[in-house]
Amino acid sequence: MAVDVVVLQALIDEKLKPFVKRIDEEALYAEDFLHALGKSGFFDSSQKNEQTTLLDELTIVQETAKVCMTTAFCLWCHLAALTYIRKTKNAALRGKILPLLENGEVLGATGLSNPMKFYAGLEKLHLSAKRVEGGYVLDGVLPAVSNLGNNHWFGAIAHNEEQEVMVFVNTDNANITLKEKTHFLGVNGSATYTCKFENVFVADDYVVSHNASTFVDQIRPTFILYQVPLGFGVVEASVEGIEKVKAKQNGCNEYLQVQADVLSVKLQSLQTHLALLVQSGEITLNAISKIRLQAVYETLEAVQANMLHNGSAGYIAGSTPSRKLREAYFFANLTPTVRQLEKMTKTLTCNSK
């Protein structure tokens, strides 16, 4: 069952488009839009196989990113949280939380930016866990977790002696202190917070995995997969932006080296490649990392072309081309960043030979 694009577009028109400027300039968090997606059944996987669920949710991210990549990024955070709960072997956790996340009653976040860098050999793990009766006690600070608010859930990984444990925690926990982070070049409306853990008890019912390293290996390809349509949406919006101004200055834009049709062909090719990968049921880390990396460079090319085609109008504060430019640079620096992806794709390719 494919996504009902008409209903999705109606939600975007009503609950997202009117607020994009405020999201970008005033750090407004489009929480109502995210809740509405769930209430309208867009996160419901109960009647779908995994491939259909993934393809549908990729479409939702792309359509959202065309209008506002900040909100699409928040949507990705929620889908990452859904992935953790869909994949956990903890039936109690899945039974309690999955329906709430899928029907939009509560929203989720990833919390794995630092752990993903840890497993890539780039950072130390910021949280520690002590095994106690009935669960774990966590301490430490996560520098940045996005898509957070009251009664939001997010994943976290902490070092526990010889291995790591992954848990699912709620922002309303009295021992978790949130401090909002804004003043970004873009994505101010991403509801990003520093999260300080002080003696936070997490019961076994809320443990995603007692062996986080193995679990991350399982979910990382999907984690990265859901990011790719962030770039697709921005490329699509840039193509539309270029088409709108093609008659500017007596059609002088036709002499620019990068044109909308070239960008469209590249986008369609990468979209087809991604869809075939999902349909194959074999989403390897190497394959999806290569697509994600290619999406970064194609997105950067598209937003730069959009700026050039729009000329001085694109440099006005608050213009759509300038917002898409800033969104693209965030996409390039979203974990795994372009630097990390370059390292991963080369390392994984060498190791597979």
Side-chain angles (χ1 to χ4, degrees):
M1 181 179 174
V3 170
D4 190 330
V5 180
V6 175
V7 175
L8 177 60
Q9 193 58 55
L11 282 177
I12 291 172
D13 289 344
E14 178 190 352
K15 295 188 176 291
L16 184 58
K17 275 187 179 179
F19 308 104
V20 171
K21 195 171 182 64
R22 289 185 59 198
I23 291 167
D24 185 42
E25 298 177 4
E26 301 174 24
L28 176 71
Y29 173 38
E31 186 174 1
D32 288 349
F33 171 71
L34 298 173
H35 281 298
L37 287 175
K39 290 174 183 176
S40 298
F42 286 104
F43 302 138
D44 184 6
S45 65
S46 61
Q47 303 300 316
K48 305 175 184 178
N49 61 28
E50 185 175 14
Q51 285 77 23
T52 302
T53 298
L54 291 172
L55 290 171
D56 284 354
E57 290 173 345
L58 291 173
T59 298
I60 298 164
V61 175
Q62 179 171 338
E63 292 301 313
T64 303
K66 279 172 60 178
V67 175
C68 177
M69 202 198 79
T70 298
T71 303
F73 165 61
C74 290
L75 174 56
W76 167 74
C77 293
H78 183 73
L79 293 174
L82 267 172
T83 300
Y84 308 156
I85 303 305
R86 287 169 178 167
K87 297 285 189 181
T88 184
K89 292 181 179 178
N90 186 337
L93 175 60
R94 189 167 55 251
K96 289 177 185 176
I97 304 298
L98 186 59
L100 301 178
L101 292 173
E102 290 204 340
N103 67 24
E105 186 172 337
V106 299
L107 297 176
T110 160
L112 262 59
S113 179
N114 164 244
M116 287 297 184
K117 292 186 177 76
F118 166 74
Y119 287 118
L122 305 178
E123 291 184 357
K124 293 181 179 180
L125 207 56
H126 293 323
L127 297 183
S128 62
K130 181 181 179 181
R131 184 63 169 158
V132 296
E133 184 177 353
Y136 295 89
V137 173
L138 275 65
D139 288 282
V141 178
L142 292 179
V145 182
S146 301
N147 199 48
L148 293 184
N150 294 331
N151 191 30
H152 283 47
W153 291 85
F154 65 100
I157 291 178
H159 182 67
N160 173 45
E161 296 179 354
E162 297 304 317
Q163 62 180 31
E164 299 82 46
V165 59
M166 182 169 175
V167 299
F168 211 58
V169 295
N170 191 284
T171 54
D172 289 354
N173 189 307
N175 290 353
I176 298 177
T177 304
L178 304 183
K179 183 178 180 181
E180 189 170 13
K181 299 183 71 171
T182 54
H183 304 298
F184 294 112
L185 182 66
V187 298
N188 271 325
S190 59
T192 299
Y193 293 81
T194 297
C195 302
K196 185 176 182 180
F197 287 65
E198 294 180 285
N199 202 37
V200 175
F201 173 72
V202 180
D204 285 332
D205 277 358
Y206 295 92
V207 173
V208 177
S209 175
H210 293 278
N211 187 342
S213 176
T214 300
F215 187 76
V216 166
D217 286 341
Q218 295 170 358
I219 59 94
R220 184 155 40 180
T222 308
F223 180 95
I224 297 173
L225 171 78
Y226 278 129
Q227 295 177 345
V228 177
L230 294 172
F232 287 173
V234 173
V235 172
E236 198 171 354
S238 298
V239 168
E240 291 177 1
I242 291 169
E243 291 284 3
K244 284 179 182 178
V245 297
K246 65 180 180 181
K248 195 172 185 177
Q249 295 186 338
N250 293 321
C252 191
N253 279 350
E254 70 178 81
Y255 295 100
L256 287 169
Q257 292 182 14
V258 181
Q259 296 292 327
D261 58 346
V262 174
L263 295 171
S264 292
V265 169
K266 288 184 177 181
L267 174 60
Q268 289 167 10
S269 175
L270 200 54
Q271 284 177 308
T272 299
H273 188 184
L274 183 66
L276 290 173
L277 181 64
V278 173
Q279 290 164 355
S280 74
E282 295 292 332
I283 307 171
T284 66
L285 182 59
N286 192 19
I288 193 58
S289 295
K290 287 179 178 177
I291 293 176
R292 167 78 161 81
L293 182 61
Q294 189 176 345
V296 167
Y297 287 121
E298 290 189 11
T299 304
L300 291 172
E301 180 185 37
V303 295
Q304 176 168 291
N306 193 26
M307 289 290 290
L308 296 178
H309 279 259
N310 276 271
S312 59
Y315 291 86
I316 297 172
S319 72
T320 299
S322 69
R323 177 164 53 83
K324 291 301 168 189
L325 184 76
R326 289 182 282 111
E327 289 176 345
Y329 278 101
F330 172 78
F331 180 55
N333 284 289
L334 170 62
T335 302
T337 66
V338 65
R339 294 176 297 179
Q340 188 175 338
L341 286 163
E342 289 283 14
K343 177 185 177 183
M344 287 169 61
T345 53
K346 289 176 176 60
T347 303
L348 290 168
T349 299
C350 289
N351 290 342
S352 64
K353 291 180 179 179

